[in-house]
Amino acid sequence: MEQQDLNKRLLLALALSFLVFVGYSYLFPPQISQPVAEQNVSTNAAPAPAANKATPGVNTPAAQQTAKKAPVTTASGTNLVTVVSDIFKMSIDKLGRIAQFELLEEKYRNEEGHNLQILGANEAKPLEIRFADAKLNEEAFKTPYTASSTGTLDAKSGAVTLTMTQKLSAVTVTKTLTIQPTGAYTIKVSTSADVPYFITPGHRPMADTSMYMLVRGVLIKGPDGVITTIEDGDAKGDEVVKNAKIASAFDRYVATMFYDFEKGMNVSVLKEENGNPLIFVEGRQNLQLGGYIGPKEYKILKAINPELTDAIEFGWFTFLSYPFFKVLLWINDMVGNWGWTIILFTLLVKLVLFPLSYKGMMSMQKLKDLAPKMKELKDKYKGDPAKLNMKMMELYKKHGANPMGGCLPLLLQIPVFFALYRVLLNADELQGAAWIPAWIDNLAAADPYYILPVLMGISMWFQQKITPNNFTDPLQEKIFQWFPVIMALMFIIMPFPSGLVLYWVVNNIFTIGQQYVINNAYKKQKAAAAAAHKKGKES
């Protein structure tokens, strides 16, 4: 690849990689189970997990196999208790588990006006206990709990406490659950005998069935602060983290998690049949854990414990996405509108990268002017690559052109774009957030009038028209000519969040303005150089 084509080819690679990145997940969407409308009875829970290798007495291969093969059936019947706050409705079944969690806020309602229920019908439920002993485990899944309260508990004005008891042949299990109005809770488990068991925050929520390339799975934060993420389909089944601080199972916007920042938790991961991870925490005779179920909203998690905000996951680009997210939150706290927040953040990114963009675009201008001379050299030395390269370098040096000058700004834009793409796709704060209410009343949903995708295509086309290019490959040039049309159509066909498209449109507009500034600066620079050259000749 010749150096003078490198900048454009990098841009082409960025464009095509984006098409692959977002297009593949649309054409080949993951198979996601649909949550049921109402879940009072859970059936056929998954088999018991392999015993945690750190657990005394159950770390032999024979004991692990027994635990894995333990048959599990569930008791039938209606829910034991329902807990209601202003923002959620929690159903607790007769096995002492959170059978369903329903979000009551309007922004989570679907097109039919139904509230969002986040737990899958046939998946392991939060607070489910599994014993290492197969016979005891089978008995436990057939024996209902009794509760200190029945019916409905009102958590709108403050915390409510529920005590549930299960009497088994070899042990009595007592769960004391204190639930806060936010979805935070504490769970205390005590057993009358010291029997090995495991408790889970449940299978990850299944609240989003969109076809984007999203991160779904589990997140575990170790005692050293290292965060391990295991996505759906990637579980090995032998993952163990001792003294973990956070164990979270998460979907796009919501999560169910346990946490213990003082003593830590011994966490093991069970590999389900489809390769999805399922978290278990090793139990003790007297166990107390913090818990949370609900949206991964930064302010809610921070209010519970600032360290819980680490459970907000943005995938591969979290190292960059998370700082971007914090800056977006800071801007939104000042302006109070997520649409204007995105616009101001885009401007901020442009200003930070402007010095590099300026150098890169000026180099591209010089290369455009040198294109005829470069073609002459190619024709003259086409049979001698070494000589051609030497003459090219002499030409660049003479005119102060850097063929690599435009690479760094383009390379920087790639992680910036994908990191922001992850934030705008996964941040719960954008759900129900309006920009211009009469037009965009939900930045997490697609533009209902397709105005933003059309503006994106037009702005991309105009940006190309004013940007210098030095294509030598006709195929590359044709791809770039049609790329704005392809992107506009893709954003119309695929329901991309309007917040993401807004960023792209605004970024294009700022880039156009930036290009005009640089084009004018280059003209002045050329005029000044020509005047100096003329003056030098006259003298």
Side-chain angles (χ1 to χ4, degrees), residues 26-142:
Y26 184 81
L27 295 173
F28 304 99
Q31 299 299 316
I32 301 173
S33 303
Q34 297 280 353
V36 293
E38 191 67 42
Q39 177 64 15
N40 291 332
V41 182
S42 180
T43 60
N44 298 326
N52 190 321
K53 296 176 182 178
T55 306
V58 294
N59 60 353
T60 66
Q64 292 179 21
Q65 289 303 316
T66 300
K68 285 182 179 179
K69 295 177 180 178
V72 175
T73 56
T74 56
S76 61
T78 58
N79 288 323
L80 190 64
V81 180
T82 300
V83 181
V84 179
S85 81
D86 291 328
I87 60 174
F88 69 81
K89 176 182 176 183
M90 178 190 292
S91 302
I92 300 174
D93 67 13
K94 288 190 174 183
L95 291 179
R97 311 173 303 180
I98 301 174
Q100 189 53 266
F101 193 85
E102 187 174 323
L103 298 174
L104 304 182
E105 292 177 88
E106 185 177 352
K107 70 178 184 176
Y108 298 112
R109 291 175 188 162
N110 61 21
E111 294 177 357
E112 290 76 30
H114 298 149
N115 294 328
L116 177 64
Q117 298 182 338
I118 71 173
L119 299 180
N122 301 313
E123 309 295 344
K125 300 295 187 289
L127 309 185
E128 181 170 301
I129 286 179
R130 299 186 185 181
F131 293 93
D133 182 272
K135 290 183 179 179
L136 185 60
N137 195 61
E138 184 176 4
E139 180 188 357
F141 274 89
K142 294 178 180 178

Side-chain angles (χ1 to χ4, degrees), residues 195-217:
V195 293
Y197 72 90
F198 304 87
I199 185 169
T200 177
H203 186 277
R204 69 144 177 95
M206 305 180 75
D208 185 272
T209 57
S210 60
M211 294 176 289
Y212 306 116
M213 192 176 289
L214 299 170
V215 184
R216 298 179 171 101

Side-chain angles (χ1 to χ4, degrees), residues 26-27 211-212 446 450 453 485-496:
Y26 184 81
L27 295 173
M211 294 176 289
Y212 306 116
Y450 307 110
V485 177
I486 294 171
M487 292 298 294
L489 288 175
M490 186 177 74
F491 274 56
I492 289 172
I493 295 170
M494 297 171 65
F496 275 89

Side-chain angles (χ1 to χ4, degrees), residues 322-333 341 345 348:
Y322 193 74
F324 283 1
F325 178 58
K326 295 290 292 291
V327 175
L328 284 163
L329 288 171
W330 174 69
I331 295 173
N332 188 64
D333 284 342
T341 295
F345 180 84
L348 179 62

Side-chain angles (χ1 to χ4, degrees), residues 216-332:
R216 298 179 171 101
V218 304
L219 176 151
I220 304 169
K221 182 177 181 180
D224 53 1
V226 174
I227 293 176
T228 301
T229 302
I230 305 170
E231 296 189 34
D232 280 1
D234 293 342
K236 296 178 181 177
D238 59 358
E239 298 93 340
V240 174
V241 179
K242 297 180 181 179
N243 302 314
K245 295 182 177 182
I246 301 172
S248 170
F250 64 91
D251 195 13
R252 180 181 182 183
Y253 292 125
V254 292
T256 173
M257 66 185 78
F258 288 155
Y259 57 91
D260 188 340
F261 299 115
E262 295 180 2
K263 297 180 180 178
M265 308 169 289
N266 289 336
V267 179
S268 58
V269 177
L270 174 68
K271 178 182 179 180
E272 298 185 302
E273 289 183 1
N274 52 10
N276 292 350
L278 182 59
I279 296 174
F280 283 89
V281 172
E282 179 186 344
R284 298 188 295 270
Q285 194 165 5
N286 291 288
L287 175 72
Q288 179 172 332
L289 299 172
Y292 173 76
I293 182 170
K296 293 183 292 181
E297 190 169 324
Y298 182 86
K299 290 183 178 179
I300 292 177
L301 295 177
K302 184 179 180 182
I304 299 169
N305 188 301
E307 200 167 349
L308 270 188
T309 58
D310 288 339
I312 299 174
E313 169 65 40
F314 295 112
W316 294 343
F317 290 95
T318 296
F319 72 96
L320 194 55
S321 297
Y322 193 74
F324 283 1
F325 178 58
K326 295 290 292 291
V327 175
L328 284 163
L329 288 171
W330 174 69
I331 295 173
N332 188 64

